[in-house]
C-alpha cells in the first residue's frame, strides 16, 4: 500500500436520485475483485492511466459525490471521475423510447438514478471479457483474479487493491502461465493478441472505432466487443450478441416468449436503438430472466466470443 494521501480531488453533484453503487456495479467482477471494491458508500478503482498507476475513490455524501485520486495517475482518474460514475451518460431520447413499451417504461421509472459508467480504459475490460468467453461466471472470475494476482502490482492508495496487469507483460507471457488458472490455449492466445495491440485499442476515439479494432483481433467477436465498449465507452446501445441468456431475458420481458435467438432479441430491441444496451441493463438490474427449463445454469455462462 503506497501513496495513502490523495494527489487530487474533486466534488461532483449528481442529479437527484442518482445511485452510485447500482451505476458502477458493472465495474466490479465480484465483491472480491482485486482491482475494484465497494465499501459502504465508497467505490474504489485501481487502474493504469496514461500518466501512471492510480486508485480512484468515489464517496457519496448527501447530494454530493467526492472523487479522490491516489498515485501518479490520480489526477487523470479524478478528471474522468464523472464519466466513471456515469454522470456523462447521455439519456437524450430514452424517455420517449421507453414509453413505447410498458415494461421498459416501468423499469425506467423505477430506476431513474441508474447511469452507465465509462472508464475510458479498454484493456482491463478486455481482460475480463476474454476470460468470460464460453465459461461460467465462477470459472471466469477464478481466471481473472488469479491472473491479476500472478502479475501482482499493488495500487496506490489507502486500500489493498492490485493494478490490472500491464498489457506488455500479458502479451509476453507464454500460454502455460494461464493454464493453471483454468484458461485453455484459445482464450490465452486471444488475450495475448489483444494485449499486444493494447496501445492501439486505448487510442480509439469512440465506441464504433473500438468495436472495429476489437473485431479485427482473432478470437474476439461481437459478444466480447460489446462487453468491452459498454463499459470502457459507456455505450448505451451495445448489445451482447451471442450471450446464452440475454436473448431469452429480452424475449421474456418484452414479448412473453421464454426462448429466443439473437435475431429475435435484436428485433425486439430495435425500437430502442441508441439505447438497446441500456434496456438490457435495466432488465438485469430488475432481476428479470426467462423461466429456466432443466438444470439451473449461471447467468453469465456460455457466452460465445
Amino acid at each position: 500500500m503506497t501513496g495513502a494521501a490523495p494527489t487530487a480531488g474533486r466534488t461532483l453533484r449528481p442529479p437527484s436520485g442518482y445511485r452510485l453503487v447500482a451505476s458502477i456495479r458493472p465495474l466490479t467482477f465480484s465483491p472480491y475483485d482485486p482491482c475494484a471494491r465497494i465499501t459502504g458508500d465508497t467505490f474504489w478503482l485501481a487502474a493504469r492511466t496514461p500518466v501512471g498507476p492510480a486508485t480512484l475513490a468515489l464517496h457519496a455524501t448527501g447530494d454530493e459525490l467526492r472523487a479522490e485520486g491516489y498515485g501518479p495517475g490520480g489526477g487523470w482518474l479524478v478528471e474522468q471521475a464523472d464519466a466513471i460514475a456515469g454522470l456523462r451518460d447521455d439519456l437524450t431520447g430514452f424517455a420517449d423510447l421507453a414509453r413505447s413499451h410498458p415494461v421498459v417504461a416501468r423499469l425506467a421509472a423505477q430506476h431513474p438514478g441508474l447511469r452507465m459508467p465509462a472508464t475510458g480504459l479498454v484493456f482491463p475490460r478486455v481482460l475480463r471479457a476474454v476470460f468470460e468467453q464460453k465459461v461460467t461466471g465462477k470459472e471466469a472470475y477464478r481466471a481473472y483474479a488469479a491472473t491479476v494476482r500472478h502479475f501482482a502490482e499493488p495500487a496506490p492508495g489507502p486500500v489493498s487493491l492490485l493494478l490490472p496487469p500491464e498489457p506488455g507483460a500479458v502479451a509476453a507471457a507464454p500460454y502455460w502461465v494461464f493454464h493453471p488458472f483454468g484458461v485453455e490455449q484459445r482464450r490465452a492466445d486471444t488475450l495475448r493478441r489483444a494485449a499486444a495491440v493494447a496501445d492501439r485499442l486505448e487510442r480509439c476515439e469512440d465506441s464504433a472505432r473500438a468495436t472495429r479494432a476489437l473485431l479485427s483481433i482473432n478470437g474476439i467477436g461481437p459478444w466480447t466487443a460489446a462487453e468491452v465498449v459498454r463499459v470502457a465507452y459507456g455505450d448505451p446501445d451495445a448489445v451482447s450478441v451471442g450471450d446464452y441468456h440475454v436473448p431469452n431475458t429480452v424475449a421474456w420481458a418484452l414479448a412473453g416468449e421464454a426462448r429466443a435467438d439473437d435475431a429475435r432479441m435484436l428485433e425486439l430491441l430495435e425500437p430502442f436503438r441508441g439505447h438497446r444496451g441500456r434496456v438490457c441493463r435495466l432488465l438485469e438490474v430488475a432481476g428479470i430472466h426467462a423461466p429456466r427449463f432443466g438444470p439451473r445454469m449461471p447467468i453469465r455462462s456460455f457466452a460465445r466470443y
Side-chain angles (χ1 to χ4, degrees), residues 184-201:
E184 81 290 346
Q185 187 161 1
R186 185 192 66 80
R187 281 186 297 156
D189 288 348
T190 297
L191 178 61
R192 293 188 298 156
R193 283 190 289 265
V197 296
D199 286 346
R200 176 166 63 88
L201 295 176

Side-chain angles (χ1 to χ4, degrees), residues 6-300:
T7 55
R10 179 184 179 193
T11 298
L12 307 172
R13 289 175 174 79
S16 176
Y18 168 76
R19 296 166 58 196
L20 171 64
V21 172
S23 296
I24 56 81
R25 184 71 69 182
L27 305 186
T28 64
F29 205 154
S30 88
Y32 312 103
D33 190 327
C35 301
R37 182 174 306 162
I38 299 171
T39 57
D41 52 9
T42 301
F43 169 64
W44 300 88
L45 177 69
R48 294 183 185 275
T49 78
V51 293
T55 296
L56 175 69
L58 290 173
H59 179 66
T61 56
D63 296 333
E64 295 182 343
L65 189 62
R66 180 65 182 171
E68 293 183 338
Y70 300 81
W76 189 92
L77 275 182
V78 166
E79 285 300 311
Q80 302 297 316
D82 56 335
I84 293 170
L87 301 183
R88 296 184 195 174
D89 185 15
D90 186 1
L91 281 80
T92 302
F94 180 61
D96 290 338
L97 297 179
R99 282 193 288 268
S100 69
H101 193 286
V103 171
V104 180
R106 173 173 58 83
L107 294 180
Q110 289 176 345
H111 303 280
L114 185 69
R115 296 293 184 271
M116 299 189 70
T119 63
L121 299 167
V122 177
F123 184 70
R125 190 63 179 186
V126 171
L127 178 75
R128 171 175 163 177
V130 169
F131 284 148
E132 289 183 289
Q133 292 177 352
K134 294 188 176 181
V135 297
T136 66
K138 183 177 180 179
E139 292 169 320
Y141 175 73
R142 173 178 175 248
Y144 164 81
T147 298
V148 171
R149 292 179 180 123
H150 173 80
F151 293 100
E153 183 177 341
V159 296
S160 298
L161 293 177
L162 296 176
L163 294 168
E166 198 279 319
V170 174
Y175 155 68
W176 54 258
V177 166
F178 304 95
H179 181 73
F181 311 149
V183 181
E184 81 290 346
Q185 187 161 1
R186 185 192 66 80
R187 281 186 297 156
D189 288 348
T190 297
L191 178 61
R192 293 188 298 156
R193 283 190 289 265
V197 296
D199 286 346
R200 176 166 63 88
L201 295 176
E202 299 290 357
R203 289 196 300 269
C204 292
E205 297 176 357
D206 54 37
S207 175
R209 290 180 176 87
T211 297
R212 289 194 293 271
L214 287 163
L215 292 176
S216 71
I217 299 170
N218 185 21
I220 290 183
W223 184 89
T224 304
E227 290 290 306
V228 171
V229 301
R230 187 166 52 251
V231 167
Y233 295 87
D235 187 343
D237 199 47
V239 180
S240 298
V241 173
D243 195 271
Y244 186 87
H245 293 284
V246 174
N248 299 336
T249 297
V250 170
W252 179 249
L254 302 186
E257 300 167 5
R259 292 293 178 267
D261 57 13
D262 287 331
R264 178 56 173 158
M265 173 184 69
L266 293 175
E267 178 186 357
L268 291 168
L269 289 173
E270 182 59 29
F272 308 100
R273 178 169 288 276
H275 295 275
R276 295 176 299 174
R278 190 187 307 281
V279 171
C280 294
R281 175 70 178 136
L282 283 170
L283 297 177
E284 178 185 6
V285 169
I288 295 175
H289 56 78
R292 297 181 180 182
F293 306 139
R296 185 182 178 92
M297 304 177 77
I299 289 178
R300 296 179 184 273

